[in-house]
Amino acid sequence: MERGRVIMDRNADAPWSKFDPEAYVDLNYRTPLEVDLLIVRLMRDHFARCYAAGLPPSVRGVDVGAGANLYPALAMLPWCEKIVLLEYALPNIEYLERQLAPGGYDKEWDAFWEVLREHPAYQDTDPRSTFGDVVRVERADLLSLDGQRRWDIGTMFFVADSMSECPEEFRKGVRCFLEALNPGAPFAVAFMKESRGYQVGAHRYPAYRVDEKQVWENLEPFTGELEIHDLRHVVRKGHEGMLLALGRRNSAIAAP
């Protein structure tokens, strides 16, 4: 919510049916940004450390609110027998399904895999064939996840903070994601720091102004192992950088 405003745009108010995934990819991923490559390195090393510590070799992964971004799913590939991309906006679902077509995903995602494969844990994985074999797309609303389905590794990138101006919806979004993970599950969650909303194509979308303290307060009850990286890379007007949270799910369910 922008300071001084009274009326808050909620998730249900945003024009998700008009979201333009190709415009979003043009803005953010067609030419890789330095901050995204840094995020990929940090996430890669975190997941590799977790699995080197003795987690099962074949697990089920989830990327919640996948949007038009493949690098979170690519980061989970070496360990997953199945990855579900949960997404609500129909244009994004169509984009993701195109990435699963014969021939593999679009070439702009190769640059992110090149960063991943710098780590030995990724070097035995054929990303295109594996992605097509293990990934599927499913329509789902983050705020409707009820904890009945659980995954063993998970990601959520620029979702809980980039769907609403409402603090209650932000907090619920974080909780719904973390309660969808099994005990011990490694996770990576990213937020736009102090975002005042964003433009994709012809349409404006809401955001909740989150800082490092709020991220810590909302994630810490779900994990005994948490690190937050304050990445002060500004990629557009209206935000102050990015926050990347890396951790492992604890065994308790935090109270709402």
Side-chain angles (χ1 to χ4, degrees):
M1 179 177 70
E2 293 182 20
R3 291 184 172 93
R5 289 187 58 184
V6 176
I7 298 174
M8 293 183 293
D9 289 328
R10 302 179 73 87
N11 180 54
D13 301 324
W16 300 116
S17 65
K18 299 176 182 178
F19 196 92
D20 187 340
E22 294 294 345
Y24 187 78
V25 171
D26 285 342
L27 284 170
N28 297 287
Y29 304 126
R30 200 83 68 192
T31 300
L33 301 174
E34 177 186 353
V35 66
D36 284 303
L37 297 178
L38 175 56
I39 286 171
V40 168
R41 290 187 187 96
L42 291 167
M43 176 170 51
R44 171 199 73 190
D45 293 349
H46 169 62
F47 287 158
R49 281 195 304 271
C50 289
Y51 283 96
L55 291 179
S58 186
V59 299
R60 296 174 301 113
V62 65
D63 183 25
V64 176
N69 182 4
L70 300 194
Y71 73 62
L74 291 172
M76 294 186 279
L77 274 187
W79 301 283
C80 291
E81 61 183 12
K82 191 69 69 178
I83 299 173
V84 179
L85 307 182
L86 299 183
E87 173 57 39
Y88 178 75
L90 290 175
N92 285 339
I93 290 173
E94 292 169 0
Y95 173 86
L96 293 169
E97 288 177 340
R98 289 197 298 273
Q99 304 308 303
L100 295 173
Y105 50 75
D106 294 342
K107 65 181 186 303
E108 54 261 23
W109 301 107
D110 291 340
F112 299 97
W113 184 258
E114 287 303 308
V115 173
L116 291 168
R117 71 184 299 273
E118 291 170 1
H119 194 289
Y122 291 80
Q123 290 173 4
D124 292 334
T125 300
D126 179 339
R128 273 193 164 75
S129 64
T130 306
F131 192 88
D133 288 342
V134 307
V135 174
R136 64 181 176 89
V137 182
E138 182 178 320
R139 193 177 192 210
D141 179 356
L142 165 61
L143 298 177
S144 296
L145 297 181
D146 58 8
Q148 297 302 306
R149 299 173 66 190
R150 296 289 185 90
W151 288 270
D152 306 304
I153 182 173
T155 55
M156 182 174 68
F157 273 63
F158 314 115
V159 181
D161 59 316
S162 300
M163 64 180 187
S164 170
E165 294 179 342
C166 177
E168 291 81 9
E169 289 192 325
F170 168 75
R171 289 192 290 267
K172 182 177 179 181
V174 172
R175 187 175 74 248
C176 286
F177 167 71
L178 287 161
E179 289 187 347
L181 300 179
N182 281 318
F187 64 80
V189 189
F191 308 89
M192 299 298 289
K193 183 179 180 181
E194 292 284 355
S195 177
R196 296 183 288 278
Y198 56 105
Q199 189 84 17
V200 179
H203 299 282
R204 185 80 176 166
Y205 293 87
Y208 177 62
R209 296 187 66 167
V210 64
D211 59 21
E212 184 173 355
K213 180 175 182 287
Q214 291 167 305
V215 170
W216 181 269
E217 289 174 347
N218 281 274
L219 270 68
E220 192 275 335
F222 297 88
T223 175
E225 179 182 324
L226 179 64
E227 59 186 63
I228 299 175
H229 298 267
D230 186 354
L231 309 175
R232 301 185 181 186
H233 299 67
V234 176
V235 299
R236 57 170 170 77
K237 291 182 179 180
H239 78 109
E240 297 179 7
M242 301 181 191
L243 297 165
L244 175 67
L246 305 171
R248 296 270 297 274
R249 182 69 165 90
N250 63 18
S251 60
I253 300 296

